[in-house]
Structures are given as C-alpha cells and as structure tokens.
Amino acid sequence: MFVGDYHTHTRYSDGKGSVLENAAMAKARGLTELAITDHCFHLFGRRKDKFRRLTIECAEAKRLTGVNVIAGVEADVISLEGDIDLTPQQLAEVEYLVVGFHKFAPPKSVSDFFKMYFVTYFNGLIPTSAAAKARNTAAVIAALERYPVKVLAHLGHSLKVNVGEVARVCAERGVLVEINAKHLRDFKGEWQALNESGANFILSSDAHRPSEVGALEKAFQTAVEEGISPHRIVNYRGE
Ligand SMILES: [Zn+2]
Ligand SMILES: [Zn+2]
C-alpha cells in the first residue's frame, strides 16, 4: 500500500539502527524504496565526511535486500536568508534532499540564532510574534527557491511559519510537503490550508529506530480524515 519511506535515520546521525536494519524493516513492511536521510550536522559537521560511507552502505543494503536504498540527507535551514547546512560541493553529491529546521542545528550566525532559533526553545511558553513568523516564512521560502529540495520536512514544527503560504510555494516548485508520522500535531488547524495549497504530499516515518521504518498507516489515516485526497500522496499506491 505504501511504495517507500523517504525520511529515516540511522546511527550516522541520531538514529539507533544501521542502514541494513532500516532496509530489512522496509522489506518486511513490503516497501520497494527507502531513503536514509541523516542530519547534515552529523554527516558533515566539523571535518567529518560520513556521507560517502553512507552512500556505500546504502548500495550494499540494496544488494542484500533488494530494496532501492537511497542515500539522502535531512538538511537544515540555518539562516533568515534561507541558507542550508551544505556546501555547494556537498550538495552536488546528494541526490535526495530533504530540508527541515532543527533547533539543535548550528545557525549560520549569532544574529540568526537570536532572530530565528531563540524563540523555538520556548515554544508553548512564548508565542512566536507575527513579525518573527513572517521572517521565518520568508527564510523557508528562500531555501525552497535556492536549493533543489525534494521534500520539505515537518513544516511548521519547531520553527513557526505561515504553513499555507509555504505550502503554496511548494506546490509551485514541485516540492513535496511531508506528512510526518512523528509530527502530525503540528498540522492541527492547518489541514485546510494544506489542502487548498495545491501541493502534493509524501508520508514519512522519520524513523529513528528500525522498528519505526515504514510505519505510515496512522499518518495516512489522519491525512485522509483531514480531507487530503490519497491521489495527492505520492508514496501511496492504493490497496
Ligand atoms: Zn527532522
Ligand atoms: Zn528527521
């Protein structure tokens, strides 16, 4: 019923399993494709270059399981100008680019930390101001315009943005809006805007342990209950 899971983590960043373990679970759940999308700040942080090893392991897991294992990354928007945490050379090696925002990713500058990151540490306690939300929205849209983003991860999670406005840009640019099994709550009150944006969607487990790989049913059910047509979910293939 699902073709693939395109947002999963391994020990290459903060996941608990190996590439092969994720691939084995994908196969057990009947998926034909799997993307490993570890965090860039783990893969490429300070003189590290784990991405090449990850690529080799993905090819090996593909050979052993028959699942098409794609070496991707989950990059971060790290500035108000929409910079992401990949150099142009690194970007050239990456064929599957998922972009999100994580408050633990190193910001580009001190000013970005105070203007963009700081308030995300107090989500739920301090509301994001309308001005900050507009700045954040512009930052995410700039990233979509500057980079070959395939999937926008957990839109509206942590970094507060105008979800409908960002989703409309995703629709224009052919970027898939992720329906993340771990962050369904962030779409509360936003489903109608998402639906009206015209964007297409992709279901992701955002698995951080092998047992979670391919567990997409709940996200699928929620999306459909909220009015998203299954035809707009690219990794769903009917019964
Ligand atoms: Zn993430
Ligand atoms: Zn993730």
Side-chain angles (χ1 to χ4, degrees):
M1 154 178 188
F2 303 110
V3 181
D5 188 352
Y6 299 89
H7 181 167
T8 72
H9 295 271
T10 70
R11 285 193 289 268
Y12 275 97
S13 65
D14 55 354
K16 299 279 182 262
S18 67
V19 172
L20 184 57
E21 285 169 328
N22 278 18
M25 183 52 74
K27 189 181 173 71
R29 285 214 157 100
L31 306 183
T32 55
E33 271 197 322
L34 170 74
I36 306 293
T37 53
D38 278 306
H39 298 287
C40 285
F41 56 96
H42 288 268
L43 288 172
F44 297 109
R46 277 195 215 170
R47 278 184 261 146
K48 277 183 275 183
D49 188 2
K50 300 199 239 172
F51 186 69
R52 283 197 193 130
R53 276 195 286 134
L54 173 66
T55 307
I56 294 165
E57 268 194 53
C58 286
E60 181 69 3
K62 179 180 177 176
R63 195 178 62 77
L64 292 169
T65 62
V67 174
N68 187 30
V69 185
I70 301 161
V73 297
E74 181 176 19
D76 266 281
V77 179
I78 54 164
S79 83
L80 287 174
E81 286 74 47
D83 289 278
I84 63 169
D85 54 351
L86 279 176
T87 65
Q89 293 97 305
Q90 290 162 348
L91 187 61
E93 285 179 47
V94 170
E95 57 168 318
Y96 196 82
L97 179 61
V98 175
V99 167
F101 172 87
H102 298 85
K103 60 188 171 199
F104 299 111
K108 191 173 183 204
S109 72
V110 175
S111 158
D112 290 312
F113 176 79
F114 283 108
K115 289 196 171 133
M116 202 175 166
Y117 285 61
F118 190 68
V119 73
T120 67
Y121 281 87
F122 303 100
N123 276 340
L125 296 171
I126 306 171
T128 305
S129 70
K133 202 169 167 180
R135 281 201 304 259
N136 296 342
T137 301
V140 174
I141 289 174
L144 297 175
E145 287 169 346
R146 290 177 59 183
Y147 300 102
V149 181
K150 282 240 181 3
V151 176
L152 185 59
H154 41 64
L155 171 58
H157 176 65
S158 185
L159 188 73
K160 298 305 169 198
V161 298
N162 184 321
V163 167
E165 197 178 330
V166 174
R168 281 196 297 279
V169 175
C170 288
E172 277 163 32
R173 305 190 70 84
V175 176
L176 299 169
V177 174
E178 179 184 71
I179 299 170
N180 186 305
K182 297 252 171 83
H183 301 297
L184 291 168
R185 263 176 303 150
D186 292 303
F187 281 174
K188 203 164 172 266
E190 305 284 5
W191 287 102
Q192 193 184 344
L194 288 163
N195 213 348
E196 288 169 3
S197 71
N200 286 321
F201 301 93
I202 189 163
L203 301 162
S204 301
S205 68
D206 201 355
H208 281 69
R209 46 188 81 239
S211 60
E212 298 166 348
V213 172
L216 304 171
E217 291 80 5
K218 187 167 169 272
F220 176 74
Q221 268 171 25
T222 304
V224 171
E225 280 164 22
E226 296 290 349
I228 303 292
S229 162
H231 300 291
R232 284 168 69 187
I233 301 176
V234 300
N235 55 338
Y236 173 73
R237 281 288 180 280
E239 293 299 334

